[in-house]
């Protein structure tokens, strides 16, 4: 199969190691160019000396490389609409970051443009390609625990705000400045916006869709972040499955402009744990189970070895297959829309203090 000529579009930070590694090492991709959102991001990118040219505008990148077939959207959430429309006009396929937009009207415009252009738009939710999750899905499909009754899941990390500043700006993360609730000085666009994975996963595990959610926020661990960093979500699916999710930034970090060893502060920086209970038993999963080497002083640092990049092999396999064989990816815009609807309902619940229908 001919490799897909791909580019990185609108880097907001020059340091995106997992994407670099994927683009360089996957034989199904030919990484030809990148463009950065500003000079600061380009300066960091240039430090890695990866041999792939980087520009300061998408227009220049496409002009210099008219053979680009696909892009990874690496921009802030509020830039996605204009960039999806631009790619659709150019006939360029899209691997989008996990939140295309929180605005339903913008979402509809994206769907219309992508479908009219006949391009692939796949959403980057790599958990589907995680080997632990794939085994979990098989055990459920084989009836090992019977009908699912409940799902409890965590998707907890450190906060990326210090290295990726746009994620600390409500207008860039959520799309506009919306107060969390009356009397609360914080705004939408924090930890919830960073963690759609478990919301998406429960739809695959149950084959059902959301009915209602109830969500509440806690006081922030980081008082200088203007959005939420700690919250819980519970609710029910339409088939009666109950769920409880923790999508918090509950792991602390050192505040480095460029992520590097030392950003991770004990305990582990990222955990995705899933417990599925059915009529015949339960399955408990630690989806990343990394090896952690605690270094201690001076700042409670540790070294971690994840299997984190493995998920991107399956994700890219599907992306390339869909491009070359004119297929729809599993996590396309129409599918992902319901996950975003649920996350918006979480914010509505926080605002009202009551359950919200999805």
């Amino acid at each position: 199969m001919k490799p897909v000529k791909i580019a990185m579009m609108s880097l907001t930070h020059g340091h995106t190691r997992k994407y670099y590694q994927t683009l360089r090492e996957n034989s199904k991709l030919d990484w030809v160019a990148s463009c950065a959102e500003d000079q600061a991001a380009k300066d960091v990118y240039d430090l890695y000396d990866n041999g792939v040219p980087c520009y300061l505008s998408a227009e220049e990148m496409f002009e210099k490389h008219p053979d680009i077939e696909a892009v990874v959207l690496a921009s802030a959430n509020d830039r996605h609409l204009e960039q999806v429309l631009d790619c659709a006009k150019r006939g360029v396929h899209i691997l989008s970051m996990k939140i295309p937009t929180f605005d339903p009207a913008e979402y509809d415009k994206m769907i219309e443009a992508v479908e009219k252009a006949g391009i692939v738009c796949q959403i980057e939710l790599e958990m589907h390609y995680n080997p632990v999750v794939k085994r979990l899905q098989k055990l459920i499909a084989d009836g090992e625990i019977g009908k699912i009754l409940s799902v409890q899941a965590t998707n907890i990390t450190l906060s990326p705000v210090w290295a990726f500043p746009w994620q600390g700006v409500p207008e860039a993360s959520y799309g506009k400045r919306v107060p969390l609730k009356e009397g609360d000085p914080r705004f939408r666009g924090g930890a919830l916006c960073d963690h759609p994975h478990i919301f998406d996963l429960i739809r695959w595990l149950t084959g059902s869709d959301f009915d209602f959610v109830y969500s509440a926020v806690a006081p922030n661990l980081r008082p200088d972040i203007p959005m939420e960093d700690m919250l819980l979500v519970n609710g029910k699916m339409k088939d009666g499955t109950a769920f409880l999710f923790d999508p918090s930034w509950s792991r602390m970090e050192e505040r480095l402009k460029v992520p590097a060893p030392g950003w991770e502060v004990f305990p582990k920086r990222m955990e995705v744990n899933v417990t599925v209970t059915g009529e015949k038993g339960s399955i408990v999963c630690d989806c990343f189970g990394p090896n952690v080497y605690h270094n201690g002083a001076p700042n409670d640092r540790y070294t971690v070895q994840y299997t984190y990049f493995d998920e991107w092999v399956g994700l890219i396999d599907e992306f390339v297959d869909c491009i070359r064989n004119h297929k729809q990816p599993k996590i396309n815009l129409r599918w992902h829309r319901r996950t975003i609807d649920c996350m918006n309902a979480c914010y509505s619940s926080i605002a009202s203090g009551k359950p919200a229908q999805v």
Side-chain angles (χ1 to χ4, degrees):
M1 186 181 292
K2 182 182 178 183
V4 170
K5 290 187 178 295
I6 195 166
M8 193 91 80
M9 190 168 174
S10 294
L11 289 162
T12 57
H13 201 289
H15 177 95
T16 51
R17 270 190 313 115
K18 71 176 181 178
Y19 306 118
Y20 290 179
Q21 180 176 332
T22 301
L23 294 174
R24 291 180 70 88
E25 295 182 358
N26 196 307
S27 62
K28 296 181 179 180
L29 299 176
D30 179 9
W31 183 21
V32 298
S34 294
C35 68
E37 194 75 357
D38 53 40
Q39 187 63 50
K42 186 178 185 304
D43 289 344
V44 174
Y45 176 95
D46 289 341
L47 291 174
Y48 290 87
D49 192 24
N50 54 45
V52 178
C54 185
Y55 305 91
L56 285 172
S57 76
E59 290 75 13
E60 183 181 8
M61 181 182 74
F62 284 121
E63 181 182 340
K64 297 281 182 64
H65 303 273
D67 55 344
I68 291 173
E69 298 177 84
V71 297
V72 178
L73 285 191
S75 54
N77 293 343
D78 67 336
R79 296 287 313 280
H80 289 165
L81 175 61
E82 63 180 281
Q83 292 173 343
V84 167
L85 296 181
D86 184 35
C87 288
K89 187 185 300 183
R90 297 175 186 273
V92 171
H93 304 286
I94 301 165
L95 181 58
S96 171
M97 294 300 95
K98 49 201 172 184
I99 304 296
T101 178
F102 278 100
D103 186 318
E106 288 190 355
Y107 217 116
D108 289 342
K109 290 178 182 177
M110 290 186 188
I111 291 173
E112 180 183 6
V114 164
E115 293 183 351
K116 184 177 180 181
I119 60 173
V120 172
C121 183
Q122 181 172 329
I123 313 302
E124 175 262 311
L125 292 181
E126 69 268 19
M127 284 301 301
H128 286 283
Y129 313 93
N130 176 285
V132 174
V133 170
K134 290 178 78 69
R135 186 178 177 203
L136 170 64
Q137 290 174 314
K138 186 177 188 307
L139 289 169
I140 291 171
D142 290 346
E144 292 293 328
I145 60 170
K147 182 183 182 301
I148 296 175
L149 301 176
S150 66
V151 176
Q152 184 272 328
T154 59
N155 186 179
I156 51 179
T157 64
L158 43 67
S159 170
V161 165
W162 319 111
F164 304 95
W166 69 264
Q167 291 192 266
V169 179
E171 292 87 346
S173 179
Y174 186 72
K176 53 187 173 182
R177 209 167 182 85
V178 180
L180 276 180
K181 57 183 178 178
E182 187 175 354
D184 195 314
R186 294 170 294 174
F187 301 90
R188 299 180 182 185
L192 180 62
C193 291
D194 198 28
H195 297 140
H197 305 277
I198 50 180
F199 291 87
D200 179 76
L201 189 59
I202 193 173
R203 297 173 62 205
W204 290 97
L205 295 178
T206 62
S208 185
D209 214 332
F210 297 104
D211 186 4
F212 68 87
V213 294
Y214 175 77
S215 186
V217 291
N220 274 20
L221 288 175
R222 305 161 183 83
D224 47 346
I225 289 181
M227 311 97 76
E228 82 285 352
D229 69 1
M230 296 280 288
L231 72 157
L232 280 177
V233 179
N234 65 18
K236 277 198 173 182
M237 306 299 285
K238 289 183 178 178
D239 68 352
T241 302
F243 61 87
L244 175 64
F245 293 158
D246 180 357
S248 299
W249 284 332
S250 58
R251 296 296 184 259
M252 295 301 289
E253 67 287 317
E254 287 195 60
R255 299 182 179 185
L256 306 179
K257 288 185 177 181
V258 179
W263 204 35
E264 301 91 351
V265 177
F266 187 81
K268 293 184 291 185
R269 70 174 178 184
M270 179 182 70
E271 294 189 55
V272 178
N273 301 309
V274 182
T275 299
V276 182
T277 300
E279 293 177 332
K280 295 162 58 177
S282 297
I283 304 173
V284 181
C285 303
D286 180 351
C287 297
F288 286 109
N291 299 313
V292 175
Y293 309 94
H294 190 208
N295 301 331
N299 296 312
D300 211 19
R301 294 175 176 174
Y302 68 93
T303 302
V304 62
Q305 179 62 51
Y306 283 106
T307 59
Y308 193 63
F309 300 127
D310 294 354
E311 288 73 37
W312 276 74
V313 175
L315 186 150
I316 292 299
D317 283 349
E318 183 182 12
F319 186 53
V320 172
D321 181 52
C322 288
I323 290 172
R324 291 290 179 245
N325 296 305
H326 310 288
K327 295 159 63 175
Q328 270 290 341
K330 287 181 292 188
I331 311 172
N332 55 65
L333 283 170
R334 282 193 179 273
W335 163 266
H336 194 48
R337 170 68 183 268
R338 289 298 291 162
T339 295
I340 300 299
D341 288 343
C342 181
M343 296 171 79
N344 271 321
C346 291
Y347 279 126
S348 296
S349 176
I350 290 168
S352 69
K354 299 176 182 179
Q357 289 295 132
V358 181

